[in-house]
Amino acid sequence: MDAPTLLQKGIQILPSRYVEQALHLLSELDTALGNYIRGVLIIAGAIGSASYMGLLALKVNYPLAIAALAGLSSIIPYLGAVMGMAVGGLVAFFQYQNAAMPLKVAALFVGIRLADEALVQPFVAKHSVHLHPMIFLFALMAGGKVFGFIGLLFAVPAACMFKAVVSVAWDWYVSE
């Protein structure tokens, strides 16, 4: 609710020659973060849909709940497949009382994860965050190593914001 007031106060503090650059930077940051969030939601939806279809095919109880859990937890990289595999495997074990069905559920989620990494994520990352795949992976590795679990959550958005800041700063430097 206070965002417009805060933005107006911030712009009033700036010298007039930097106002346009500051607004351009804010616009680029907004675009980068919005694209990242849309990409993450597309990936979560794809994982949830594939999980639901696979669990329906395997006739596991509660496919919608397990698929929703897998899709929502896939917002954190690699967690969706682990959560879906664990919960789906437990449900399948208690439903069928044998070890074959949990193994099929595990194979389903491994296949979904591999398909996600090979097909969905490169396409979505190319069109949403505009980061090179190596920078994407480096951001995840560095964020996880330095900040742990929280670093995994915020590594890619931070890399997107850093790229936007560097891009705006470079454009400003070249124009000066």
Side-chain angles (χ1 to χ4, degrees):
M1 304 247 336
D2 291 332
T5 307
L6 183 64
L7 182 61
Q8 289 172 352
K9 287 181 182 179
I11 290 173
Q12 289 174 354
I13 292 172
L14 284 174
S16 61
R17 66 182 268 195
Y18 298 118
V19 170
E20 186 176 334
Q21 291 298 327
L23 290 175
H24 179 62
L25 176 63
L26 288 175
S27 172
E28 290 294 319
L29 289 173
D30 182 52
T31 301
L33 289 177
N35 287 342
Y36 171 74
I37 290 171
R38 279 186 288 281
V40 165
L41 291 176
I42 288 169
I43 290 171
I47 289 174
S49 298
S51 301
Y52 180 69
M53 296 300 190
L55 291 169
L56 272 180
L58 291 175
K59 296 183 175 117
V60 175
N61 288 340
Y62 315 113
L64 185 60
I66 297 168
L69 177 68
L72 287 175
S73 61
S74 69
I75 290 172
I76 301 166
Y78 304 106
L79 187 62
V82 172
M83 291 296 290
M85 190 182 311
V87 174
L90 282 172
V91 168
F93 178 74
F94 287 118
Q95 179 182 351
Y96 290 101
Q97 298 294 320
N98 64 20
M101 279 309 285
L103 291 176
K104 289 180 183 178
V105 170
L108 168 72
F109 280 100
V110 167
I112 289 171
R113 185 69 206 157
L114 291 175
D116 177 50
E117 286 181 8
L119 302 173
V120 178
Q121 280 190 8
F123 181 76
V124 170
K126 177 182 175 186
H127 294 289
S128 65
V129 295
H130 306 289
L131 286 177
H132 190 276
M134 290 301 290
I135 294 174
F136 191 90
L137 288 174
F138 177 74
L140 284 174
M141 289 189 313
K145 184 70 174 172
V146 175
F147 298 109
F149 179 74
I150 299 297
L152 287 175
L153 284 174
F154 296 111
V156 176
C160 291
M161 290 174 59
F162 181 73
K163 180 186 175 205
V165 168
V166 168
S167 174
V168 169
W170 180 257
D171 290 343
W172 183 59
Y173 173 75
V174 169
S175 70
E176 290 292 315

